[in-house]
Amino acid sequence: MLKKQDFSYSFDSSKCDECGGKCCVGESGYIWISASEIKKLSEFLGLKTDEFIEKYLFKTQNKYSIKEKEYNGGYACIFFDEQNKNCGVYEYRPSQCRTFPFWDYFKQNLEELQAECIGVKF
């Protein structure tokens, strides 16, 4: 069980295998990625940075976000592995994904978090 200071819940990451990637799919949103994360992920995929950006990212609000694809009547991260129902670039996923479900947003939206993540325990 993972616990983080200032959060009223804990997280059992073993539940990720059961949930089908709910944190990677659903409504459209931003999946922020930093310059250093772009560099690491583009190297992992064997692409030049500019090729990676063109293929997998879009720029908004002076930041880059990972593109999404249509999936089951909603959206999924472009790197969501539909067959295995998990992240296809897990070791290289951005900080936003690494820190889930410990986002400040969820401190005030516990019901939404509980509906999205079966690994959360209150």
Side-chain angles (χ1 to χ4, degrees):
M1 254 334 173
L2 300 173
K3 184 84 172 134
K4 191 170 178 185
Q5 187 175 347
D6 298 328
F7 287 84
S8 63
Y9 52 86
S10 58
F11 173 61
D12 180 356
S13 62
S14 71
K15 297 291 186 183
C16 293
D17 293 334
E18 300 172 33
C19 93
K22 286 177 75 176
C23 60
C24 301
V25 303
E27 295 179 20
S28 183
Y30 296 115
I31 309 162
W32 303 118
I33 186 167
S34 71
S36 63
E37 292 166 341
I38 291 169
K39 184 178 185 306
K40 288 177 188 173
L41 191 47
S42 62
E43 287 173 356
F44 169 70
L45 295 173
L47 297 171
K48 293 180 182 176
T49 302
D50 58 339
E51 294 172 320
F52 174 81
I53 289 170
E54 184 177 323
K55 187 170 183 175
Y56 295 112
L57 307 180
F58 68 96
K59 195 169 191 175
T60 184
Q61 304 174 24
N62 293 321
K63 298 187 280 187
Y64 284 105
S65 179
I66 296 174
K67 291 179 181 177
E68 296 172 304
K69 58 186 175 181
E70 291 185 6
Y71 178 75
N72 282 351
Y75 296 90
C77 172
I78 196 80
F79 297 114
F80 180 66
D81 181 334
E82 295 178 36
Q83 183 176 359
N84 294 312
K85 307 283 190 248
N86 61 19
C87 180
V89 295
Y90 187 80
E91 293 300 318
Y92 299 91
R93 70 198 189 283
S95 176
Q96 178 177 333
C97 303
R98 288 180 185 278
T99 58
F100 181 86
F102 296 106
W103 296 348
D104 286 339
Y105 171 82
F106 287 129
K107 288 179 178 179
Q108 304 301 317
N109 296 281
L110 296 174
E111 287 180 18
E112 183 179 340
L113 175 60
Q114 190 169 27
E116 185 168 330
C117 183
I118 64 171
V120 172
K121 304 294 179 214
F122 297 96

Short mmCIF file of all heavy atoms in Angstrom, two decimals, residues 24-29 68-77:
data_model
loop_
_atom_site.label_atom_id
_atom_site.label_comp_id
_atom_site.label_asym_id
_atom_site.label_seq_id
_atom_site.Cartn_x
_atom_site.Cartn_y
_atom_site.Cartn_z
N CYS A 24 -6.15 5.71 -17.77
CA CYS A 24 -5.61 6.04 -19.10
C CYS A 24 -6.71 6.30 -20.13
O CYS A 24 -6.41 6.67 -21.26
CB CYS A 24 -4.75 4.89 -19.62
SG CYS A 24 -3.35 4.46 -18.58
N VAL A 25 -7.95 6.08 -19.75
CA VAL A 25 -9.06 6.19 -20.69
C VAL A 25 -10.21 6.99 -20.07
O VAL A 25 -10.24 7.21 -18.87
CB VAL A 25 -9.59 4.79 -21.11
CG1 VAL A 25 -8.48 3.95 -21.71
CG2 VAL A 25 -10.22 4.05 -19.95
N GLY A 26 -11.14 7.41 -20.92
CA GLY A 26 -12.32 8.12 -20.43
C GLY A 26 -12.54 9.41 -21.18
O GLY A 26 -12.42 9.47 -22.40
N GLU A 27 -12.82 10.46 -20.44
CA GLU A 27 -13.03 11.77 -21.05
C GLU A 27 -11.70 12.31 -21.55
O GLU A 27 -10.64 11.98 -21.04
CB GLU A 27 -13.61 12.74 -20.02
CG GLU A 27 -14.99 12.38 -19.54
CD GLU A 27 -15.52 13.35 -18.51
OE1 GLU A 27 -15.02 14.49 -18.42
OE2 GLU A 27 -16.45 12.96 -17.78
N SER A 28 -11.78 13.17 -22.54
CA SER A 28 -10.58 13.81 -23.07
C SER A 28 -10.00 14.76 -22.03
O SER A 28 -10.73 15.33 -21.22
CB SER A 28 -10.93 14.59 -24.34
OG SER A 28 -9.78 15.15 -24.90
N GLY A 29 -8.70 14.87 -22.03
CA GLY A 29 -8.04 15.77 -21.10
C GLY A 29 -6.59 15.97 -21.52
O GLY A 29 -6.16 15.49 -22.56
N GLU A 68 -4.39 11.91 -27.81
CA GLU A 68 -5.30 10.84 -27.43
C GLU A 68 -5.85 10.18 -28.69
O GLU A 68 -5.75 10.73 -29.78
CB GLU A 68 -6.45 11.41 -26.60
CG GLU A 68 -6.00 12.01 -25.29
CD GLU A 68 -7.11 12.73 -24.57
OE1 GLU A 68 -7.72 13.65 -25.17
OE2 GLU A 68 -7.38 12.36 -23.42
N LYS A 69 -6.46 9.03 -28.49
CA LYS A 69 -7.13 8.31 -29.58
C LYS A 69 -8.53 7.96 -29.11
O LYS A 69 -8.79 7.87 -27.90
CB LYS A 69 -6.35 7.04 -29.95
CG LYS A 69 -6.15 6.06 -28.79
CD LYS A 69 -5.25 4.91 -29.19
CE LYS A 69 -4.95 4.01 -28.00
NZ LYS A 69 -4.05 2.91 -28.35
N GLU A 70 -9.44 7.79 -30.05
CA GLU A 70 -10.79 7.38 -29.68
C GLU A 70 -10.75 5.95 -29.17
O GLU A 70 -10.01 5.11 -29.69
CB GLU A 70 -11.72 7.49 -30.88
CG GLU A 70 -11.98 8.93 -31.28
CD GLU A 70 -12.99 9.07 -32.39
OE1 GLU A 70 -13.60 8.06 -32.80
OE2 GLU A 70 -13.17 10.20 -32.86
N TYR A 71 -11.53 5.72 -28.12
CA TYR A 71 -11.52 4.39 -27.50
C TYR A 71 -12.81 4.18 -26.73
O TYR A 71 -13.14 4.96 -25.84
CB TYR A 71 -10.31 4.27 -26.56
CG TYR A 71 -10.23 2.96 -25.83
CD1 TYR A 71 -9.83 1.80 -26.49
CD2 TYR A 71 -10.57 2.88 -24.48
CE1 TYR A 71 -9.76 0.59 -25.81
CE2 TYR A 71 -10.51 1.68 -23.80
CZ TYR A 71 -10.10 0.53 -24.47
OH TYR A 71 -10.04 -0.67 -23.81
N ASN A 72 -13.56 3.16 -27.06
CA ASN A 72 -14.78 2.75 -26.35
C ASN A 72 -15.74 3.91 -26.06
O ASN A 72 -16.23 4.06 -24.95
CB ASN A 72 -14.42 2.05 -25.04
CG ASN A 72 -13.98 0.63 -25.25
OD1 ASN A 72 -14.07 0.09 -26.34
ND2 ASN A 72 -13.49 0.01 -24.20
N GLY A 73 -15.99 4.73 -27.04
CA GLY A 73 -16.92 5.85 -26.87
C GLY A 73 -16.32 7.03 -26.13
O GLY A 73 -17.02 7.99 -25.84
N GLY A 74 -15.05 6.98 -25.82
CA GLY A 74 -14.35 8.07 -25.16
C GLY A 74 -12.97 8.22 -25.78
O GLY A 74 -12.82 8.11 -27.00
N TYR A 75 -12.00 8.41 -24.93
CA TYR A 75 -10.63 8.61 -25.39
C TYR A 75 -9.65 7.81 -24.54
O TYR A 75 -9.95 7.45 -23.41
CB TYR A 75 -10.27 10.10 -25.33
CG TYR A 75 -11.12 10.93 -26.26
CD1 TYR A 75 -12.31 11.48 -25.82
CD2 TYR A 75 -10.73 11.13 -27.57
CE1 TYR A 75 -13.12 12.21 -26.69
CE2 TYR A 75 -11.52 11.85 -28.44
CZ TYR A 75 -12.71 12.39 -27.99
OH TYR A 75 -13.50 13.11 -28.84
N ALA A 76 -8.49 7.58 -25.11
CA ALA A 76 -7.39 6.93 -24.40
C ALA A 76 -6.09 7.62 -24.78
O ALA A 76 -5.97 8.17 -25.88
CB ALA A 76 -7.31 5.44 -24.77
N CYS A 77 -5.15 7.59 -23.90
CA CYS A 77 -3.81 8.07 -24.20
C CYS A 77 -3.31 7.31 -25.43
O CYS A 77 -3.57 6.12 -25.59
CB CYS A 77 -2.90 7.81 -23.01
SG CYS A 77 -1.15 8.16 -23.35
#
